[in-house]
Amino acid sequence: MTSNFTVKRRDILKMMGVGAVASTASGLLVLGDISSAQAAPMPKRGGKLRAASANSSVSDTLDPAKGSNSGDYIRQFMFYSGLTELSAKMRAEPALAESFDSPDGITWTFRLRKGVTFHDGKALTAQDVVFSLARHKLPETGSQAKVLADQFAQINAVDAHTVQIVLVAPNVDLPSILGTSPFLIVQDGTKDFSKGIGTGPFKCKSFTPARSTVGVRNPNFWKPGKPYLDEVELLGLTDASARLNGLLAGDLQLVASVQPSDAVRLKQSKKHAILETKSGMYTDLIVRVDQAPGNNADFVDAMRYLQPREQIVKTALHGYGTVANDHPVPPWHPYYAANLPQRPYDLERAKFHVKKGKLQGLGGDLVCSEPIDGSVEGAQLLQQAGNQVGLKLNVRRVPYDGYWSQHWMKHPMSYGSINPRPTLDMLFSQFYYSSARWNESGWKNAQFDQLLVASRGETDDAKRKKMYGDMQVLIAEHCGTIVPAFISFLDGYDRRVKGLESNPMGMLMGYRFAEFVWLEA
């Protein structure tokens, strides 16, 4: 487990206090935890690695603004770099920006590393950064991160290598936000993203949505000596069995999202291994509160008390998970609301709400899909529990292909799968703020919105923790998303793959394995 899920506020304040982070243009930059893969003995250069993600569709994209799943994030980190990057301890480290600072959390200055070039040879300039960030605010971009970019009041190129960002209100989490995939830097004026022209460790050789992405080593990558591999091919395989069989057969060397039930089998293989990463990822039951039956608060309360959380962790996740408390903050997070009592599995309380809300005989479909970890098992357990309190719940399995466009958030009840975010501000802004594009249950709460905006500028860490605690209570007691458990990332790999390490930011080293791993002969 990690005790540093998000960048600590005192670290940011410390950076702000000294005016810049510890980095120089002389190449003495230490990239902290992320560089730990470098410390492994004698990385070997060369070779081709084939990996598989669990996502694949015709909407696969190389546009960082439009990425919406782990497959997109992985391929985008192959080809692009950000102003900052997130370490294995979730700290924002300098990347294309060799330093950054702010006197007040509102006005930020980012100084770009010199000598960085895009894959086509063009030099990186401040104007590229201005274009990359400003486009998120344009409706025609269709950015998945617009709700975050709306914080940008001004983005200016001070000179060729300095960018100033002025926010509408203080936010000390900005460096962490800029280390995530939506804010990777593209070339000024880019309209065609099919070529993936960035400053990242690999150059795009080919990209076929729903099938394959191939990258070849960028010899001019701004991190000397990296990457180690000559070529990486990323396949999108939504079928968990296909990924596992591909790994066992030797066709793949690295796969994401191994099913918990398959982890035991893989661990018995002498040629393969499992990398477990404790994380804040969760599968949630989404009850739309803007339509029946979720618009009856007693129905949502009953559904919360019917969640067999311990059983889900033990049986559906085979122990690769942690019990949650109906909000998206894991117990090891420094801002976790420890004073919020753990909601139990309680049939009597569920019956009380069914009776109070006059819900006997009501219910509906629980829309789920096998590849969404724990969704089918969770729906089946919920159906059984519902029968005992007078609710009629039906498990409706649907194909994974097209799930996110046709089913997610589209029904009165469905399941979601949310990857962790580096800060609570980012997580809450994207999934719980009233106007958020991914507000899964259609929940709108003015008090929550006010707390979220106010927390961004709060300089007292204790007060900020109190604010985040209050927001967790509001979610757990009033929102329609029900979070029963947090799920560990399970990556399967050929033991010849070296340099692989856990990163709670996401599967496959926080989606960035391509930059760090190498193949042993």
Side-chain angles (χ1 to χ4, degrees), residues 141-167:
T141 300
S143 172
Q144 304 286 10
K146 184 178 183 302
V147 69
L148 297 169
D150 285 342
Q151 300 177 58
F152 304 154
Q154 298 178 37
I155 309 168
N156 301 311
V158 177
D159 57 39
H161 294 92
T162 307
V163 177
Q164 184 184 74
I165 301 174
V166 181
L167 304 180

Side-chain angles (χ1 to χ4, degrees), residues 89-274:
K89 292 186 177 180
M90 307 301 283
R91 294 192 174 99
E93 306 278 5
L96 292 181
E98 62 180 2
S99 70
F100 49 86
D101 60 81
S102 172
D104 54 10
I106 296 178
T107 301
W108 289 84
T109 300
F110 293 83
R111 299 173 186 82
L112 303 185
R113 190 177 304 278
K114 296 180 181 177
V116 177
T117 58
F118 285 91
H119 298 155
D120 62 357
K122 176 191 173 300
L124 170 74
T125 69
Q127 190 54 44
D128 298 309
V129 176
V130 172
F131 172 80
S132 298
L133 302 185
R135 62 188 293 265
H136 289 280
K137 300 187 69 171
L138 302 176
E140 58 267 32
T141 300
S143 172
Q144 304 286 10
K146 184 178 183 302
V147 69
L148 297 169
D150 285 342
Q151 300 177 58
F152 304 154
Q154 298 178 37
I155 309 168
N156 301 311
V158 177
D159 57 39
H161 294 92
T162 307
V163 177
Q164 184 184 74
I165 301 174
V166 181
L167 304 180
V168 297
N171 192 338
V172 296
D173 286 338
L174 180 63
S176 294
I177 292 172
L178 296 181
T180 58
S181 61
F183 297 104
L184 294 169
I185 303 304
V186 302
Q187 202 170 107
D188 181 23
T190 301
K191 295 182 179 178
D192 177 9
F193 288 89
S194 64
K195 304 302 181 185
I197 297 176
T199 60
F202 289 86
K203 301 170 70 171
C204 183
K205 179 180 179 180
S206 66
F207 170 53
T208 306
R211 293 184 60 186
S212 166
T213 305
V214 180
V216 295
R217 192 170 75 87
N218 174 13
N220 300 315
F221 187 43
W222 55 274
K223 292 184 183 180
K226 287 187 175 178
Y228 305 116
L229 297 168
D230 287 338
E231 186 170 308
V232 173
E233 181 175 11
L234 177 68
L235 303 174
L237 298 177
T238 59
D239 186 279
S241 296
R243 293 195 301 277
L244 181 68
N245 292 333
L247 179 64
L248 293 173
D251 295 329
L252 301 168
Q253 290 78 50
L254 182 61
V255 299
S257 301
V258 173
Q259 294 292 296
S261 57
D262 292 328
V264 174
R265 177 185 175 192
L266 201 56
K267 289 172 70 174
Q268 293 174 342
S269 168
K270 294 182 179 180
K271 296 182 178 179
H272 305 91
I274 283 284

Side-chain angles (χ1 to χ4, degrees), residues 147-148 151 169-171 173 423-436 443 445-458 464 467-468 470-471 474-475:
V147 69
L148 297 169
Q151 300 177 58
N171 192 338
D173 286 338
T423 71
L424 292 193
D425 175 57
M426 196 168 179
L427 179 65
F428 289 165
S429 296
Q430 288 188 291
F431 295 97
Y432 294 93
Y433 195 65
S434 292
S435 62
W443 180 61
N445 187 292
Q447 183 184 1
F448 180 91
D449 293 350
Q450 292 169 2
L451 280 168
L452 180 59
V453 173
S455 66
R456 294 170 181 163
E458 179 53 63
R464 199 182 200 202
M467 290 177 170
Y468 281 136
D470 291 343
M471 285 185 267
L474 289 172
I475 292 171

Side-chain angles (χ1 to χ4, degrees), residues 372-388:
I372 299 177
D373 291 330
S375 68
V376 173
E377 297 91 339
Q380 291 171 334
L381 292 170
L382 191 55
Q383 181 185 41
Q384 296 170 12
N387 289 337
Q388 300 182 58

